[in-house]
Amino acid sequence: MFLNFPKRLCNWNQQVLTEDLEILARAVREGKRGAVAKAITLIESTRTTHRQEALTLLEILVKLGTREALRVGMSGAPGVGKSTLINCLGSMLIDRGQSLAVLAVDPSSAESGGSILGDKTRMPALSRNPKAFVRPSPTGKFQGGVSRRARDTVFICEQAGFDVVFVETTGVGQMEALVTELVDVFVLLASPGGGDDLQGMKRGIMELADLVLVNRSDGDMKKLSLLACADFSSALRLMRKRKQDPEGIPKVLNVSALEGTGIESAWNDVVELARWRHREGHWERRRQNQAISWFRSEIDERMRDFLLNDRDMRDQISAMENRVRAGDVHYDAAAETMVRKLFASRSSKSLP
């Protein structure tokens, strides 16, 4: 049981030994929810001392043999019903004998840095079900609708043996393209009569969606939902067809998360698309390209961390900011100077 883990695993303020991390890794592989939660907490920690422990944990899990789950991204404007739809869809999958994890990413406050993290309360059926694991995470300062450690978190959930992993993004609009570098199938959720039909005429996130679900196709909104579905379909026909897609993808469907209508049909399309990509070899290539994308992203983030956390560089940045503030130097030239200083110091200092 998780309660029998070494005390160091229950208190990340103490250094965790490699053998303790091996115990945690094995517990994750056994699908123990407490171990999964503890592993994700370690992965998401911003403390420098925890980062090396997190990397060691990931390396141990890789050596134990990696598993794969179907990763599904769920995006859409705030209030469109993403959590309600995942709650309904997840309950259906559990009834079919499958297990699932939900990574619900909430935006962090630019002022306090805090996050409401309320998605778990909007998925009551899944939050109480032992076959589901719901993990709310803040974005922090990371852009793109997901958290910086989202890929590692999804990896942890895969190694825990979940069949499906949902990634619910923050709902920040067309800047959520980063989620496509994380999932196998990307679903865009829209609501009728809320301006989303106009968004369908724009490029950006619409070009990345594999499936567009027009939610709230019930009651008085049903007619508007049908009209919005037609608008989205027309917009998608004007866009260039992607080579990695079969005929009919992307597809637009009407669903009602409240009544549960159209949910089964939508999921069947998700599964069929995943199977097609497996057969045609797109699945493996997509995941390889995603890994390279996150590798490059991590390099960018680590360079930024080094600039901001190294005492000497931090002092130089502060001095340069004063010059930019006073108008003595253009911000572009100032940034170039700091980057050159970073590379000049690379021979004597290591990145975090």
Side-chain angles (χ1 to χ4, degrees):
M1 295 295 292
F2 182 68
L3 294 178
N4 294 329
F5 287 174
K7 291 183 178 179
R8 284 183 294 271
L9 289 177
C10 300
N11 183 3
W12 295 118
N13 291 324
Q14 300 181 31
Q15 185 177 4
V16 180
L17 302 178
T18 300
E19 52 265 35
D20 295 334
L21 292 172
E22 290 175 349
I23 295 174
L24 179 59
R26 287 194 292 271
V28 168
R29 292 277 298 185
E30 293 172 4
K32 295 181 178 179
R33 295 164 63 94
V36 175
K38 190 62 67 175
I40 293 176
T41 298
L42 177 61
I43 291 294
E44 293 182 338
S45 175
T46 57
R47 295 189 58 165
T48 304
T49 55
H50 294 167
R51 189 58 198 149
Q52 187 55 53
E53 293 163 3
L55 293 175
T56 301
L57 174 63
L58 293 172
E59 290 174 356
I60 294 172
L61 285 170
V62 169
K63 291 178 180 179
L64 290 175
T66 57
R67 296 166 171 168
E68 285 189 349
L70 174 56
R71 306 173 182 173
V72 180
M74 192 73 67
S75 184
V80 75
K82 298 188 294 294
S83 298
T84 305
L85 180 64
I86 293 176
N87 189 66
C88 179
L89 181 56
S91 298
M92 182 192 76
L93 295 179
I94 289 173
D95 290 340
R96 292 182 176 183
Q98 294 183 291
S99 61
L100 67 141
V102 181
L103 172 60
V105 185
D106 277 350
S108 298
S109 169
E111 297 295 330
S112 66
S115 182
I116 297 175
L117 302 179
D119 278 307
K120 194 167 185 176
T121 64
R122 293 192 288 270
M123 303 179 194
L126 298 184
S127 298
R128 296 191 300 264
N129 199 303
K131 287 287 187 178
F133 176 80
V134 181
R135 175 75 180 202
S137 299
T139 57
K141 297 181 180 179
F142 200 69
Q143 302 298 313
V146 296
S147 63
R148 178 177 176 181
R149 300 302 174 197
R151 192 176 192 277
D152 293 338
T153 302
V154 171
F155 176 78
I156 292 292
C157 292
E158 284 188 306
Q159 305 324 302
F162 292 105
D163 300 309
V164 181
V165 178
F166 286 102
V167 181
E168 181 193 351
T169 66
T170 57
V172 294
Q174 296 195 35
M175 291 302 294
E176 290 186 281
L178 191 58
V179 71
T180 62
E181 300 294 336
L182 183 63
V183 299
D184 303 309
V185 179
F186 180 39
V187 179
L188 178 63
L189 197 59
S191 60
D196 287 318
D197 50 344
L198 178 62
Q199 295 300 319
M201 304 303 175
K202 298 181 180 180
R203 298 186 181 273
I205 197 170
M206 280 292 298
E207 290 183 307
L208 302 173
D210 297 311
L211 200 63
V212 179
L213 303 182
V214 183
N215 193 23
R216 301 193 175 114
S217 183
D218 47 57
D220 296 336
M221 298 294 289
K222 191 167 186 177
K223 184 176 180 180
L224 283 175
S225 178
L226 293 173
L227 292 173
C229 186
D231 289 339
F232 274 113
S233 298
S234 298
L236 289 172
R237 281 196 294 270
L238 297 175
M239 296 181 183
R240 183 177 61 183
K241 179 175 173 55
R242 299 174 301 193
K243 294 181 180 179
Q244 73 273 21
D245 289 339
E247 192 65 34
I249 295 295
K251 180 183 288 189
V252 185
L253 297 172
N254 292 103
V255 299
S256 171
L258 184 64
E259 296 181 350
T261 56
I263 303 297
E264 183 174 4
S265 177
W267 181 249
N268 290 339
D269 284 332
V270 169
V271 173
E272 182 55 36
L273 175 58
R275 289 173 177 169
W276 183 88
R277 286 177 172 166
H278 259 299
R279 291 195 304 268
E280 300 299 321
H282 295 302
W283 176 287
E284 184 176 0
R285 285 194 297 272
R286 182 185 179 101
R287 289 214 169 187
Q288 290 173 346
N289 291 335
Q290 288 173 344
I292 295 300
S293 177
W294 282 85
F295 164 68
R296 293 174 177 174
S297 175
E298 188 60 27
I299 290 177
D300 293 340
E301 291 295 323
R302 282 175 175 264
M303 290 179 64
R304 180 181 179 276
D305 289 345
F306 177 78
L307 280 169
L308 297 179
N309 295 329
D310 180 83
R311 179 179 297 178
D312 293 337
M313 294 301 297
R314 188 169 61 244
D315 291 342
Q316 294 182 56
I317 289 175
S318 179
M320 187 64 74
E321 286 176 344
N322 291 333
R323 294 185 61 193
V324 172
R325 188 179 295 110
D328 295 336
V329 61
H330 190 271
Y331 62 83
D332 200 347
E336 175 71 14
T337 299
M338 296 313 304
V339 170
R340 287 184 179 277
K341 288 185 176 182
L342 167 64
F343 284 103
S345 65
R346 72 186 186 278
S347 60
S348 59
K349 297 180 181 179
S350 60
L351 293 177

